[in-house]
Amino acid sequence: MSRMMKQQWSRWFTTSFRVRYQESDQMGVVYHANYLNWFEIGRTEMIRALGFTYRGMEEEGVLLPVVDLDIHYKSPARYDDHVTVFTRMTQFSPLRIHYEYEVRRLKEEEHDLLSTIGIGLDRLPGHELVTGSTKHVWVNKDWKPARLDKCAPKLYDALRSSLLGGKE
């Protein structure tokens, strides 16, 4: 198996919130750059769901800068919408990680159903608002490439296990 795994997907991780007033313009539409913040929230909460924090990663000397970003706007989110950011890994190696995102507006019953059945779905609930992806590299505090399996082996194992779904 190559070091950079072929296109595989982890399960979807989710985080939900209501669109805040300061995230929207006078028309009540979410300002486009806020979706990038929401992608970061999705990544952060995914790492947290695996039992780690970005602060802990940084304390171990590992940073994760974005090196590539792709975003597609389908439909606007609006002030007070209930949105869910779906986040999953699509590729992972000791030096790189790629994420995929979908931001969706969910009705209350869809959100309740989501919390009941989990994220093993082929088709995500809600109305698609934005899709995107980011690519990252693992670096040390000197911004030199860092092998995650050497610098933070527990995090590496958790991410790898999540991507492989427990399969080798």
Side-chain angles (χ1 to χ4, degrees):
M1 177 183 274
S2 70
R3 282 306 210 181
M4 177 58 94
M5 295 178 193
K6 294 192 179 179
Q7 192 77 20
Q8 284 184 282
W9 295 279
S10 70
R11 70 177 178 87
W12 286 108
F13 293 80
T14 63
T15 188
S16 299
F17 49 86
R18 290 212 174 266
V19 174
R20 293 161 290 272
Y21 184 76
Q22 72 267 21
E23 294 171 316
S24 62
D25 60 21
Q26 282 187 318
M27 298 175 289
V29 172
V30 170
Y31 179 67
H32 69 277
N34 283 309
Y35 294 101
L36 303 179
N37 292 328
W38 294 356
F39 287 3
E40 183 177 1
I41 290 169
R43 288 191 306 273
T44 301
E45 293 305 316
M46 179 188 148
I47 295 292
R48 189 178 313 279
L50 293 173
F52 299 88
T53 64
Y54 265 76
R55 180 176 296 193
M57 287 172 26
E58 291 170 356
E59 288 169 355
E60 289 190 56
V62 180
L63 305 172
L64 190 59
V66 175
V67 295
D68 192 30
L69 164 72
D70 188 40
I71 189 165
H72 301 275
Y73 300 96
K74 313 279 183 167
S75 183
R78 300 183 182 278
Y79 169 64
D80 208 36
D81 280 350
H82 190 240
V83 297
T84 298
V85 179
F86 293 85
T87 306
R88 68 180 173 184
M89 288 183 295
T90 58
Q91 291 185 357
F92 175 69
S93 79
L95 295 171
R96 304 179 196 289
I97 188 167
H98 300 179
Y99 292 99
E100 178 179 27
Y101 312 89
E102 289 199 22
V103 179
R104 293 176 162 266
R105 180 176 32 249
L106 272 64
K107 298 176 186 166
E108 288 300 324
E109 59 272 11
E110 290 172 319
H111 186 264
D112 294 343
L113 180 63
L114 184 63
S115 62
T116 304
I117 63 172
I119 317 298
L121 308 172
D122 291 331
R123 187 163 179 253
L124 298 177
H127 180 75
E128 185 179 68
L129 304 174
V130 169
T131 61
S133 62
T134 56
K135 296 178 181 178
H136 306 255
V137 295
W138 300 103
V139 298
N140 62 24
K141 289 183 179 180
D142 295 324
W143 286 81
K144 303 286 185 209
R147 288 186 57 96
L148 189 64
D149 56 341
K150 305 289 187 222
C151 299
K154 289 180 183 175
L155 175 60
Y156 174 81
D157 289 343
L159 290 167
R160 186 168 180 267
S161 177
S162 177
L163 184 64
L164 294 175
K167 300 175 204 149
E168 288 297 323

